[in-house]
Amino acid sequence: QKREIYAKLQSFTFLMIVEGHVSDMKPVLHDVEEGEKEEMLYFQSDKLAVAFGLIATSCKHYACKGTRLHITKNLRMCS
């Protein structure tokens, strides 16, 4: 299932790029090359959750009418 999730993520990431999406690199504070920063942003947990949701709901199209995904993100900080 992991391969299927990453394949779905790659396909809608490609569509985002084709449609003109440009990632904001400012939040990535790691000292790495720009290409690596961009890759880090593409594989964020919320995007993986969307890819999993599309697969789990048997959504074969990118704009499935009637299919609603609710993704929540838990940003807990430890001291």
Side-chain angles (χ1 to χ4, degrees):
Q1 197 174 27
K2 179 181 174 181
R3 283 189 199 144
E4 194 176 0
I5 292 168
Y6 279 92
K8 179 69 82 173
L9 179 61
Q10 272 189 314
S11 66
F12 72 72
T13 297
F14 174 75
L15 287 175
M16 288 170 34
I17 293 169
V18 168
E19 292 295 321
H21 173 75
V22 178
S23 297
D24 180 13
M25 301 295 174
K26 287 181 252 173
V28 182
L29 301 176
H30 300 286
D31 188 23
V32 294
E33 299 291 323
E34 288 298 310
E36 288 180 78
K37 287 182 181 182
E38 200 165 335
E39 193 171 307
M40 289 173 153
L41 289 175
Y42 286 135
F43 296 109
Q44 288 178 322
S45 61
D46 46 348
K47 290 179 182 170
L48 288 168
V50 170
F52 174 75
L54 292 174
I55 291 166
T57 58
S58 300
C59 186
K60 302 299 179 197
H61 307 293
Y62 295 102
C64 290
K65 294 184 180 182
T67 301
R68 187 176 290 183
L69 299 176
H70 183 86
I71 308 293
T72 58
K73 198 167 188 173
N74 182 6
L75 298 176
R76 191 174 85 187
M77 306 270 287
C78 298
S79 58

